[in-house]
Amino acid sequence: MKMEKSKNPITIISENRDRTTDETIKWLIKDGIPFNRHNYEETSGFSICFDNSNYISTINKEIPKNKVIWFRRGRFQFLTKNCLISNFNINLRNEELPIVLHFEKYFNDHNHMIGSYKEERFNNKIENLLIAKKNGLNIPKTLVTNKKTELELFFKNNIKIMSKNIYSMPNIRDPDWNYKIGTNQLVTNNQINRLSSIFAPSIIQEYIEKSFEVRIFVFEDQFYAMAIFSQKDDKTKFDFRNYNEANPNRNVPFELPSIIKRNLTSFLKEKKMNTGSIDLIVTPNNEFYFLEINPQGQLDWLSKNCNYYVEKEIANILKLRNEKIAI
């Protein structure tokens, strides 16, 4: 059966300066595929009205239904700029959140939705590691605790251990400075000695010697993998995000073993996710370890380093899904 080109515009939810969105849209325009882009920075008007027999909702006068929706970055924004900078901004964001989550559920129930703000907002590294293990993936030995005695024992039983963010990277602001760090750090005995008997909840993992790291971008059932030779540089050997701009890591296309791809597919199926960026490490013994998944991760650098043209592939998948809905 020949599929006719759909007149339904694809809905893209993103941010103003997201390069992946910009590049994907260029391919949609080239193929004459209609789309609507909604940026997080723009305030959208909405309405939800319901009673025992009726339900009516709108966003900017209409709501996507029987369409393809791609949550690339961010979400619909329902607060004005004045609300966001007011003294009540935390309370107002909390009031807005149930509305955001309601609309995402509605989108998912009535459309073909790719990506999720909810997964990004509530991304849980602890649960992700346990689900990865359940689906046949190796994970590092992990401790989540606020007890010094437990940390001391974990340190004693492992040659090297690392700390990482449980949820989000530190971002501490002062009138004269801003402290932000998002990379993993080795934990020393001296640091542990300075801790109180009970400290802030922390996630600690054994440090696993690696041959290289693997970054994977997944979109629907397509995997795009890149090997990152971060071990070759002392600055990046513990975490490739300690970028060495003067001497960048070598990044090359990588073919995932079929068993790893199957296990990742099972992991994503259980998570009910159809896109995201996944980090793995590969040991000198060729063992693969799952580290984490970022539901709305960046992919521009992976696409360009490996000549994958991922943005073109995304545009084509969006087009095919849209045509299928139109049948």
Coordinates of all heavy atoms in Angstrom, one line a residue, residues 16-98:
N16 N 15.5 27.0 22.4 CA 15.8 27.9 21.3 C 17.1 27.6 20.6 O 17.1 27.7 19.3 CB 16.0 29.3 21.9 CG 14.7 30.1 22.0 OD1 13.8 29.8 21.2 ND2 14.5 31.0 22.9
R17 N 18.2 27.2 21.3 CA 19.5 27.1 20.6 C 19.9 25.6 20.5 O 21.1 25.3 20.4 CB 20.5 27.9 21.4 CG 20.2 29.4 21.4 CD 21.3 30.1 22.2 NE 21.0 31.6 22.2 CZ 21.8 32.4 22.8 NH1 22.9 32.1 23.5 NH2 21.4 33.7 22.8
D18 N 19.0 24.7 20.5 CA 19.4 23.3 20.3 C 19.8 23.0 18.9 O 18.9 23.0 18.0 CB 18.2 22.4 20.8 CG 18.6 20.9 20.7 OD1 19.6 20.5 21.4 OD2 18.0 20.2 19.9
R19 N 21.0 22.7 18.7 CA 21.5 22.4 17.3 C 20.9 21.2 16.7 O 20.7 21.2 15.4 CB 23.1 22.3 17.3 CG 23.7 23.7 17.5 CD 25.3 23.5 17.5 NE 25.8 22.8 18.6 CZ 27.0 22.5 18.8 NH1 28.0 23.0 18.0 NH2 27.4 21.8 19.9
T20 N 20.7 20.2 17.5 CA 20.1 19.0 16.9 C 18.7 19.2 16.3 O 18.4 18.8 15.2 CB 20.0 17.9 18.0 OG1 21.3 17.5 18.4 CG2 19.3 16.6 17.5
T21 N 17.9 20.0 17.0 CA 16.6 20.4 16.5 C 16.7 21.2 15.2 O 16.0 20.9 14.2 CB 15.8 21.2 17.6 OG1 15.8 20.5 18.8 CG2 14.4 21.5 17.1
D22 N 17.6 22.2 15.2 CA 17.8 23.0 14.0 C 18.2 22.1 12.8 O 17.7 22.3 11.7 CB 18.9 24.0 14.3 CG 18.5 25.0 15.4 OD1 17.3 25.2 15.6 OD2 19.4 25.7 15.9
E23 N 19.2 21.2 13.0 CA 19.7 20.4 11.9 C 18.6 19.4 11.4 O 18.4 19.2 10.2 CB 20.9 19.6 12.4 CG 22.1 20.4 12.6 CD 22.6 21.1 11.4 OE1 22.6 20.5 10.3 OE2 23.0 22.3 11.5
T24 N 17.8 18.9 12.4 CA 16.7 18.0 12.0 C 15.6 18.7 11.2 O 15.1 18.2 10.2 CB 16.1 17.3 13.2 OG1 17.1 16.6 14.0 CG2 15.0 16.4 12.8
I25 N 15.3 19.9 11.6 CA 14.3 20.7 10.9 C 14.7 21.0 9.5 O 13.9 21.1 8.5 CB 14.0 22.0 11.7 CG1 13.1 21.6 12.9 CG2 13.4 23.1 10.8 CD1 12.8 22.8 13.8
K26 N 16.0 21.2 9.2 CA 16.5 21.5 7.9 C 16.2 20.3 7.0 O 15.8 20.5 5.8 CB 18.0 21.7 7.9 CG 18.5 23.0 8.5 CD 20.0 23.1 8.5 CE 20.4 24.4 9.2 NZ 21.9 24.5 9.3
W27 N 16.3 19.1 7.5 CA 16.0 17.9 6.7 C 14.5 17.8 6.5 O 14.0 17.4 5.4 CB 16.5 16.6 7.3 CG 18.0 16.6 7.3 CD1 18.9 16.7 8.3 CD2 18.8 16.3 6.1 NE1 20.2 16.6 7.9 CE2 20.2 16.3 6.6 CE3 18.5 16.0 4.8 CZ2 21.2 16.1 5.7 CZ3 19.6 15.8 3.9 CH2 20.9 15.8 4.4
L28 N 13.7 18.2 7.5 CA 12.2 18.1 7.3 C 11.8 19.1 6.3 O 10.9 18.9 5.4 CB 11.5 18.5 8.7 CG 11.6 17.4 9.8 CD1 11.0 18.0 11.1 CD2 11.0 16.1 9.4
I29 N 12.4 20.3 6.3 CA 12.0 21.4 5.3 C 12.4 20.9 3.9 O 11.7 21.1 2.9 CB 12.8 22.7 5.6 CG1 12.2 23.3 6.9 CG2 12.6 23.7 4.5 CD1 12.9 24.5 7.4
K30 N 13.6 20.2 3.8 CA 14.0 19.7 2.5 C 13.0 18.8 1.9 O 12.8 18.8 0.7 CB 15.4 19.1 2.6 CG 16.0 18.5 1.4 CD 17.3 17.8 1.6 CE 17.9 17.2 0.3 NZ 17.0 16.1 -0.2
D31 N 12.4 17.9 2.7 CA 11.5 16.9 2.3 C 10.0 17.4 2.3 O 9.1 16.7 2.0 CB 11.5 15.7 3.1 CG 12.8 14.9 2.9 OD1 13.5 15.1 1.8 OD2 13.2 14.0 3.7
G32 N 9.9 18.7 2.6 CA 8.5 19.3 2.6 C 7.6 18.7 3.7 O 6.4 18.7 3.5
I33 N 8.2 18.4 4.8 CA 7.4 17.8 5.9 C 6.9 18.9 6.9 O 7.8 19.6 7.4 CB 8.2 16.7 6.7 CG1 8.8 15.7 5.7 CG2 7.3 16.1 7.8 CD1 7.7 14.9 4.9
P34 N 5.6 19.1 7.1 CA 5.2 20.2 8.0 C 5.5 19.8 9.4 O 5.5 18.7 9.8 CB 3.7 20.2 7.7 CG 3.3 18.8 7.3 CD 4.5 18.3 6.5
F35 N 5.8 20.9 10.2 CA 6.1 20.7 11.6 C 5.7 21.9 12.4 O 5.6 23.0 11.9 CB 7.6 20.4 11.8 CG 8.5 21.5 11.4 CD1 8.8 22.5 12.3 CD2 8.9 21.6 10.1 CE1 9.7 23.5 12.0 CE2 9.8 22.6 9.8 CZ 10.1 23.6 10.7
N36 N 5.5 21.8 13.7 CA 5.3 22.9 14.6 C 6.4 22.7 15.7 O 6.5 21.7 16.3 CB 3.9 22.9 15.3 CG 2.9 23.3 14.3 OD1 3.0 24.1 13.5 ND2 1.7 22.6 14.4
R37 N 7.2 23.8 15.9 CA 8.2 23.8 16.9 C 7.8 24.6 18.1 O 7.4 25.8 17.9 CB 9.5 24.3 16.4 CG 10.6 24.4 17.4 CD 12.0 24.7 16.8 NE 13.0 24.8 17.8 CZ 14.3 24.9 17.5 NH1 14.7 25.0 16.2 NH2 15.2 25.0 18.4
H38 N 7.9 24.1 19.3 CA 7.6 24.8 20.5 C 8.8 24.8 21.4 O 9.3 23.7 21.8 CB 6.4 24.1 21.3 CG 5.1 24.0 20.5 ND1 4.2 25.0 20.5 CD2 4.7 23.1 19.7 CE1 3.2 24.7 19.7 NE2 3.5 23.5 19.2
N39 N 9.3 26.0 21.7 CA 10.5 26.1 22.5 C 10.2 26.3 24.0 O 9.2 27.1 24.3 CB 11.4 27.2 22.0 CG 12.1 26.9 20.7 OD1 12.4 25.8 20.4 ND2 12.2 27.9 19.8
Y40 N 11.0 25.7 24.8 CA 10.8 25.8 26.3 C 10.8 27.3 26.7 O 10.0 27.7 27.7 CB 11.9 25.1 27.0 CG 11.9 25.2 28.5 CD1 10.9 24.7 29.3 CD2 12.9 26.0 29.1 CE1 10.9 24.8 30.7 CE2 12.9 26.2 30.5 CZ 11.9 25.6 31.3 OH 11.9 25.8 32.6
E41 N 11.6 28.1 26.1 CA 11.7 29.5 26.5 C 10.4 30.4 26.2 O 10.3 31.5 26.7 CB 12.9 30.2 25.8 CG 14.2 29.6 26.2 CD 14.6 28.4 25.4 OE1 13.8 27.9 24.6 OE2 15.7 27.9 25.6
E42 N 9.5 29.8 25.4 CA 8.3 30.6 25.1 C 7.1 30.1 25.9 O 6.9 28.9 26.1 CB 8.0 30.3 23.6 CG 9.1 30.7 22.6 CD 9.0 30.1 21.3 OE1 8.0 29.4 21.0 OE2 9.9 30.3 20.4
T43 N 6.4 31.1 26.5 CA 5.3 30.7 27.3 C 4.1 30.4 26.5 O 3.7 31.1 25.5 CB 4.9 31.9 28.2 OG1 6.0 32.3 29.0 CG2 3.7 31.5 29.1
S44 N 3.5 29.2 26.7 CA 2.3 28.7 26.0 C 1.0 28.9 26.8 O 1.0 28.6 28.0 CB 2.5 27.2 25.6 OG 3.6 27.0 24.8
G45 N 0.0 29.4 26.2 CA -1.3 29.5 26.8 C -2.0 28.1 26.8 O -1.9 27.4 25.8
F46 N -2.7 27.8 27.8 CA -3.3 26.5 27.9 C -4.7 26.5 28.6 O -4.9 27.5 29.3 CB -2.4 25.4 28.5 CG -2.5 25.5 30.0 CD1 -3.3 24.6 30.8 CD2 -1.7 26.4 30.8 CE1 -3.4 24.7 32.1 CE2 -1.8 26.5 32.1 CZ -2.6 25.6 32.8
S47 N -5.5 25.5 28.4 CA -6.7 25.4 29.2 C -7.1 23.9 29.3 O -6.9 23.1 28.3 CB -7.8 26.1 28.4 OG -9.1 26.0 29.1
I48 N -7.6 23.5 30.4 CA -8.1 22.2 30.7 C -9.5 22.3 31.3 O -9.6 22.9 32.4 CB -7.2 21.3 31.6 CG1 -5.8 21.3 31.0 CG2 -7.8 19.9 31.7 CD1 -4.8 20.6 32.0
C49 N -10.5 21.9 30.7 CA -11.9 22.0 31.2 C -12.5 20.6 31.2 O -12.6 20.0 30.1 CB -12.7 23.0 30.4 SG -14.3 23.3 31.1
F50 N -13.0 20.1 32.3 CA -13.7 18.8 32.3 C -14.7 18.7 33.4 O -14.7 19.5 34.4 CB -12.6 17.7 32.5 CG -11.7 17.9 33.6 CD1 -12.0 17.3 34.9 CD2 -10.5 18.6 33.5 CE1 -11.1 17.4 36.0 CE2 -9.7 18.8 34.6 CZ -10.0 18.2 35.8
D51 N -15.6 17.8 33.2 CA -16.6 17.5 34.2 C -16.9 16.0 34.1 O -16.1 15.2 33.6 CB -17.9 18.3 34.1 CG -18.5 18.2 32.7 OD1 -18.3 17.1 32.0 OD2 -19.3 19.1 32.3
N52 N -18.0 15.5 34.6 CA -18.3 14.1 34.6 C -18.5 13.5 33.2 O -18.3 12.3 33.0 CB -19.6 13.8 35.4 CG -19.4 14.0 36.9 OD1 -18.3 13.7 37.4 ND2 -20.4 14.5 37.6
S53 N -18.7 14.3 32.2 CA -19.0 13.7 30.9 C -18.1 14.3 29.8 O -18.0 13.8 28.7 CB -20.5 14.0 30.5 OG -20.8 15.4 30.6
N54 N -17.4 15.4 30.0 CA -16.6 16.0 29.0 C -15.2 16.4 29.4 O -14.9 16.6 30.6 CB -17.3 17.3 28.5 CG -18.6 17.1 27.9 OD1 -18.7 16.4 26.8 ND2 -19.7 17.6 28.5
Y55 N -14.3 16.4 28.4 CA -12.9 16.8 28.7 C -12.5 17.6 27.5 O -12.5 17.1 26.3 CB -12.0 15.6 28.9 CG -10.5 16.0 28.9 CD1 -9.9 16.2 30.1 CD2 -9.8 16.1 27.8 CE1 -8.6 16.5 30.2 CE2 -8.4 16.4 27.8 CZ -7.8 16.7 29.0 OH -6.5 17.0 29.0
I56 N -12.0 18.8 27.7 CA -11.5 19.7 26.6 C -10.2 20.3 27.1 O -10.2 20.9 28.1 CB -12.5 20.8 26.2 CG1 -13.9 20.2 25.8 CG2 -12.0 21.7 25.1 CD1 -15.0 21.2 25.6
S57 N -9.2 20.2 26.2 CA -7.9 20.9 26.6 C -7.3 21.5 25.4 O -7.5 21.0 24.2 CB -7.0 19.9 27.2 OG -6.7 18.8 26.3
T58 N -6.6 22.6 25.6 CA -5.9 23.3 24.5 C -4.5 23.8 24.9 O -4.3 24.1 26.1 CB -6.7 24.5 24.0 OG1 -6.8 25.4 25.1 CG2 -8.1 24.1 23.5
I59 N -3.6 23.8 24.0 CA -2.4 24.5 24.2 C -2.1 25.4 22.9 O -2.1 24.8 21.8 CB -1.2 23.5 24.3 CG1 -1.3 22.7 25.6 CG2 0.1 24.3 24.4 CD1 -0.2 21.7 25.8
N60 N -2.0 26.7 23.1 CA -1.9 27.6 22.0 C -3.0 27.3 21.0 O -2.8 27.2 19.8 CB -0.5 27.4 21.3 CG 0.6 27.8 22.2 OD1 0.4 28.6 23.2 ND2 1.8 27.2 22.0
K61 N -4.2 27.2 21.4 CA -5.5 27.0 20.6 C -5.7 25.6 20.1 O -6.8 25.3 19.7 CB -5.5 28.0 19.5 CG -5.5 29.5 19.9 CD -5.6 30.4 18.7 CE -5.6 31.9 19.2 NZ -5.8 32.8 18.0
E62 N -4.7 24.7 20.1 CA -5.0 23.4 19.7 C -4.1 22.4 20.5 O -3.1 22.9 21.2 CB -4.7 23.2 18.2 CG -3.3 23.3 17.8 CD -3.0 22.9 16.4 OE1 -3.5 21.8 16.0 OE2 -2.3 23.6 15.7
I63 N -4.4 21.2 20.6 CA -3.6 20.2 21.3 C -3.3 19.1 20.3 O -4.1 18.6 19.6 CB -4.3 19.7 22.5 CG1 -3.3 18.8 23.4 CG2 -5.5 18.9 22.2 CD1 -3.9 18.5 24.8
P64 N -2.0 18.6 20.3 CA -1.7 17.5 19.3 C -2.5 16.3 19.6 O -2.6 15.8 20.7 CB -0.2 17.3 19.6 CG 0.3 18.6 20.2 CD -0.8 19.1 21.0
K65 N -3.0 15.7 18.5 CA -3.8 14.4 18.6 C -3.6 13.7 17.3 O -3.7 14.3 16.2 CB -5.2 14.7 18.9 CG -6.0 13.5 19.4 CD -7.4 13.9 19.9 CE -8.1 12.6 20.4 NZ -9.5 13.0 21.0
N66 N -3.4 12.4 17.4 CA -3.1 11.5 16.2 C -2.0 12.1 15.4 O -2.0 12.2 14.2 CB -4.4 11.4 15.4 CG -5.5 10.7 16.1 OD1 -5.2 9.8 16.9 ND2 -6.7 11.2 15.9
K67 N -0.9 12.5 16.1 CA 0.3 13.1 15.4 C 1.5 12.5 16.0 O 1.5 11.7 16.9 CB 0.3 14.6 15.6 CG -0.8 15.3 14.9 CD -0.7 16.8 15.2 CE -1.9 17.6 14.5 NZ -1.7 19.1 14.7
V68 N 2.6 12.8 15.4 CA 3.9 12.5 16.0 C 4.4 13.6 16.8 O 4.5 14.8 16.4 CB 5.0 12.2 14.8 CG1 6.4 12.0 15.4 CG2 4.5 10.9 14.1
I69 N 4.8 13.3 18.0 CA 5.4 14.3 19.0 C 6.8 13.9 19.4 O 7.0 12.8 19.9 CB 4.5 14.5 20.2 CG1 3.1 14.9 19.8 CG2 5.1 15.5 21.2 CD1 2.1 15.1 21.0
W70 N 7.7 14.8 19.2 CA 9.1 14.5 19.6 C 9.5 15.4 20.7 O 9.6 16.6 20.5 CB 10.0 14.7 18.4 CG 11.5 14.5 18.7 CD1 12.0 13.7 19.7 CD2 12.6 15.1 18.0 NE1 13.4 13.7 19.6 CE2 13.8 14.6 18.6 CE3 12.7 16.0 17.0 CZ2 15.0 15.0 18.2 CZ3 14.0 16.4 16.5 CH2 15.1 15.9 17.2
F71 N 9.7 14.9 21.9 CA 10.2 15.7 23.1 C 11.7 15.6 22.9 O 12.4 14.8 23.5 CB 9.8 15.0 24.4 CG 8.5 15.5 24.9 CD1 7.3 14.9 24.5 CD2 8.4 16.5 25.8 CE1 6.1 15.3 25.0 CE2 7.2 17.0 26.3 CZ 6.0 16.4 25.9
R72 N 12.3 16.6 22.2 CA 13.7 16.7 22.0 C 14.4 17.2 23.3 O 15.3 16.6 23.8 CB 14.0 17.5 20.8 CG 15.4 18.0 20.6 CD 16.5 16.9 20.7 NE 17.8 17.4 21.0 CZ 18.7 16.8 21.7 NH1 18.5 15.6 22.2 NH2 19.8 17.4 22.0
R73 N 14.0 18.4 23.7 CA 14.6 19.1 24.9 C 13.5 19.9 25.6 O 12.6 20.4 24.9 CB 15.7 20.1 24.5 CG 16.9 19.5 23.8 CD 17.8 18.7 24.7 NE 18.6 19.6 25.6 CZ 19.4 19.2 26.5 NH1 19.6 17.9 26.7 NH2 20.1 20.1 27.2
G74 N 13.5 19.9 26.9 CA 12.6 20.7 27.6 C 11.2 20.2 27.5 O 10.9 19.0 27.4
R75 N 10.2 21.1 27.5 CA 8.8 20.8 27.6 C 8.0 22.1 27.3 O 8.6 23.1 27.0 CB 8.4 20.4 29.0 CG 8.8 21.4 30.1 CD 8.3 21.0 31.4 NE 8.7 21.9 32.5 CZ 8.2 23.1 32.8 NH1 7.2 23.6 32.0 NH2 8.6 23.9 33.8
F76 N 6.7 22.0 27.3 CA 5.9 23.2 27.2 C 6.1 24.0 28.4 O 6.1 23.5 29.5 CB 4.4 22.9 27.0 CG 4.0 22.5 25.6 CD1 3.8 21.2 25.2 CD2 3.9 23.5 24.6 CE1 3.5 20.8 24.0 CE2 3.5 23.2 23.3 CZ 3.3 21.8 23.0
Q77 N 6.2 25.3 28.3 CA 6.3 26.2 29.4 C 5.0 27.0 29.6 O 4.5 27.7 28.7 CB 7.5 27.2 29.1 CG 7.6 28.3 30.1 CD 8.2 27.8 31.4 OE1 7.4 27.6 32.4 NE2 9.5 27.6 31.5
F78 N 4.5 26.9 30.8 CA 3.2 27.6 31.1 C 3.4 28.8 32.1 O 2.4 29.4 32.4 CB 2.2 26.6 31.7 CG 1.9 25.4 30.8 CD1 2.1 24.1 31.3 CD2 1.5 25.6 29.5 CE1 1.8 23.1 30.4 CE2 1.3 24.6 28.6 CZ 1.4 23.3 29.1
L79 N 4.6 29.1 32.5 CA 4.8 30.2 33.4 C 5.4 31.4 32.6 O 6.2 31.2 31.7 CB 5.8 29.8 34.5 CG 5.3 28.8 35.5 CD1 6.4 28.5 36.5 CD2 4.1 29.3 36.3
T80 N 5.0 32.6 32.9 CA 5.5 33.8 32.2 C 6.9 34.1 32.8 O 7.3 33.6 33.9 CB 4.6 35.0 32.4 OG1 4.6 35.3 33.8 CG2 3.2 34.7 31.9
K81 N 7.6 35.0 32.1 CA 8.9 35.4 32.6 C 8.8 36.0 34.0 O 9.7 35.8 34.8 CB 9.6 36.3 31.6 CG 10.0 35.6 30.3 CD 10.7 36.6 29.4 CE 11.1 35.8 28.1 NZ 11.8 36.7 27.1
N82 N 7.8 36.8 34.2 CA 7.6 37.5 35.5 C 7.4 36.4 36.6 O 7.9 36.6 37.7 CB 6.4 38.4 35.4 CG 6.7 39.7 34.6 OD1 7.9 40.1 34.5 ND2 5.7 40.3 34.1
C83 N 6.7 35.4 36.3 CA 6.5 34.3 37.3 C 7.8 33.6 37.6 O 8.1 33.3 38.8 CB 5.5 33.3 36.8 SG 3.8 33.8 36.6
L84 N 8.6 33.4 36.6 CA 9.9 32.7 36.8 C 10.9 33.5 37.6 O 11.8 32.9 38.2 CB 10.5 32.3 35.4 CG 9.7 31.3 34.6 CD1 10.2 31.2 33.2 CD2 9.7 29.9 35.3
I85 N 10.8 34.8 37.6 CA 11.8 35.6 38.3 C 11.2 36.2 39.6 O 11.9 36.9 40.4 CB 12.3 36.8 37.5 CG1 11.2 37.8 37.1 CG2 13.0 36.3 36.2 CD1 11.7 39.0 36.4
S86 N 10.0 35.8 39.9 CA 9.3 36.3 41.1 C 9.9 35.6 42.4 O 10.5 34.5 42.3 CB 7.8 36.1 41.1 OG 7.5 34.8 41.3
N87 N 9.6 36.1 43.5 CA 10.0 35.5 44.8 C 9.2 34.2 45.0 O 9.6 33.4 45.9 CB 9.8 36.4 46.0 CG 10.7 37.6 45.9 OD1 11.8 37.6 45.4 ND2 10.2 38.8 46.5
F88 N 8.2 34.0 44.3 CA 7.4 32.8 44.4 C 7.6 31.7 43.4 O 6.8 30.8 43.2 CB 5.9 33.1 44.4 CG 5.5 34.1 45.4 CD1 5.3 35.5 45.1 CD2 5.2 33.8 46.8 CE1 5.0 36.4 46.1 CE2 4.9 34.7 47.7 CZ 4.7 36.0 47.4
N89 N 8.8 31.9 42.7 CA 9.0 31.0 41.5 C 9.1 29.5 41.8 O 8.6 28.7 41.1 CB 10.3 31.4 40.7 CG 11.5 31.1 41.5 OD1 12.1 30.0 41.4 ND2 12.0 32.1 42.3
I90 N 9.6 29.1 43.0 CA 9.7 27.7 43.4 C 8.3 27.2 43.6 O 7.9 26.1 43.1 CB 10.5 27.5 44.6 CG1 12.0 27.9 44.3 CG2 10.4 26.1 45.1 CD1 12.9 27.8 45.6
N91 N 7.4 27.9 44.3 CA 6.1 27.5 44.5 C 5.3 27.4 43.2 O 4.6 26.4 43.0 CB 5.4 28.4 45.5 CG 3.9 28.1 45.7 OD1 3.0 28.7 45.1 ND2 3.6 27.1 46.5
L92 N 5.5 28.4 42.3 CA 4.8 28.4 41.0 C 5.2 27.2 40.2 O 4.4 26.7 39.4 CB 5.0 29.7 40.3 CG 4.4 31.0 41.0 CD1 4.8 32.2 40.3 CD2 2.9 30.9 41.0
R93 N 6.5 26.9 40.2 CA 7.0 25.7 39.4 C 6.3 24.4 39.9 O 6.0 23.5 39.2 CB 8.5 25.6 39.5 CG 9.2 26.6 38.6 CD 10.7 26.5 38.7 NE 11.4 27.4 38.0 CZ 11.7 27.4 36.7 NH1 11.3 26.3 36.0 NH2 12.4 28.3 36.1
N94 N 6.2 24.3 41.3 CA 5.6 23.2 41.9 C 4.1 23.1 41.5 O 3.6 22.0 41.2 CB 5.7 23.2 43.4 CG 7.1 22.9 43.8 OD1 7.9 22.4 43.1 ND2 7.5 23.4 45.0
E95 N 3.4 24.2 41.4 CA 2.0 24.3 41.0 C 1.9 23.9 39.5 O 0.9 23.3 39.1 CB 1.5 25.7 41.2 CG 1.3 26.0 42.7 CD 0.2 25.2 43.3 OE1 -1.0 25.4 43.0 OE2 0.6 24.3 44.1
E96 N 2.9 24.2 38.7 CA 2.8 24.0 37.3 C 3.1 22.5 36.9 O 2.5 22.0 35.9 CB 3.9 24.8 36.5 CG 3.9 24.7 35.0 CD 5.2 25.2 34.4 OE1 6.3 25.0 35.1 OE2 5.2 25.7 33.3
L97 N 3.9 21.8 37.7 CA 4.4 20.5 37.4 C 3.3 19.5 37.1 O 3.3 18.7 36.1 CB 5.3 20.0 38.5 CG 6.0 18.6 38.2 CD1 6.8 18.6 36.9 CD2 6.9 18.2 39.4
P98 N 2.2 19.4 37.9 CA 1.2 18.4 37.6 C 0.5 18.7 36.3 O 0.1 17.7 35.6 CB 0.2 18.6 38.8 CG 1.0 19.2 39.9 CD 2.0 20.1 39.2

